[in-house]
Amino acid sequence: MNRKTLILYASQYGYGAECANQLRSLMPEEVTLVDLTKATNPDLDGYDTVIVGGSVYMGKAMRQTIDFCAANESALLQRKLGLFLCCGLPQNVEQSFAASFSEPLRKHATVSGCFGGELRLDKMKPMHKMIANMMQKAGGKSGIEPPKPNPKAINEFASAMQSN
């Protein structure tokens, strides 16, 4: 049987896109990668596995991810599903998942994962850069580590998707 997987993501500054590409490279079956910031309503027909995720902004996934999941929830519940977030604050990941994906989707997902995060100040709009710098400064005073990538989590996610 030729399994087909669709990976849908939204990324503002590129880290989520890099994670989605890395995930695609780890999947042995035929994989289609779709950027939800460019494709408004990708077709799920023909895919038995769908992975949805991307960057977190202000505590939840980007609007394109949330809107797609809401509009396609019944179809997503008919497929093997994986959910991921690129969240720079691992202590907040459960709240971010709850704010990003409905409870039925979260319960249905075969695998959910957090791929870490990365602040790309050089790509940020001035206001976002200012907010990120203020948050880093405040976090440093509170002992909160800055966001960092977690490639191990991507490998573990891909393995879990393949074995379940």
Side-chain angles (χ1 to χ4, degrees):
M1 181 174 148
N2 188 19
R3 291 182 45 203
K4 290 176 70 179
T5 297
L6 177 63
I7 299 176
L8 303 159
Y9 71 93
S11 176
Q12 185 148 4
Y13 297 115
Y15 181 72
E18 286 179 17
C19 291
N21 272 298
Q22 184 177 350
L23 184 58
R24 178 174 77 179
S25 74
L26 297 168
M27 305 298 286
E29 65 270 5
E30 183 181 336
V31 178
T32 302
L33 192 64
V34 175
D35 181 348
L36 290 170
T37 65
K38 295 181 176 134
T40 55
N41 195 22
D43 189 3
L44 299 179
D45 289 341
Y47 296 98
D48 46 47
T49 301
V50 179
I51 298 170
V52 184
S55 302
V56 169
Y57 181 71
M58 300 300 288
K60 59 186 174 183
M62 291 179 62
R63 178 189 47 78
Q64 294 91 338
T65 302
I66 293 170
D67 291 350
F68 177 84
C69 288
N72 294 280
E73 183 170 304
S74 61
L76 291 169
L77 291 171
Q78 303 293 317
R79 290 161 172 79
K80 183 176 181 181
L81 179 65
L83 301 173
F84 75 91
L85 290 175
C86 299
C87 180
L89 299 171
Q91 65 272 25
N92 296 340
V93 76
E94 291 305 317
Q95 296 95 320
S96 294
F97 268 101
S100 302
F101 304 107
S102 71
E103 185 175 354
L105 289 178
R106 293 191 320 271
K107 286 184 174 182
H108 178 70
T110 302
V111 181
S112 295
C114 175
F115 298 165
E118 190 171 79
L119 288 177
R120 297 184 169 178
L121 297 172
D122 60 316
K123 294 183 178 185
M124 290 185 180
K125 298 172 188 170
M127 181 60 89
H128 292 172
K129 186 184 290 191
M130 184 182 77
I131 293 168
N133 280 326
M134 287 176 11
M135 290 176 67
Q136 274 192 297
K137 190 173 184 177
K141 289 179 182 177
S142 303
I144 298 172
E145 290 187 33
K148 60 184 172 197
N150 188 353
K152 181 180 176 192
I154 301 171
N155 292 331
E156 290 169 354
F157 185 98
S159 293
M161 284 299 295
Q162 293 165 43
S163 65
N164 289 325

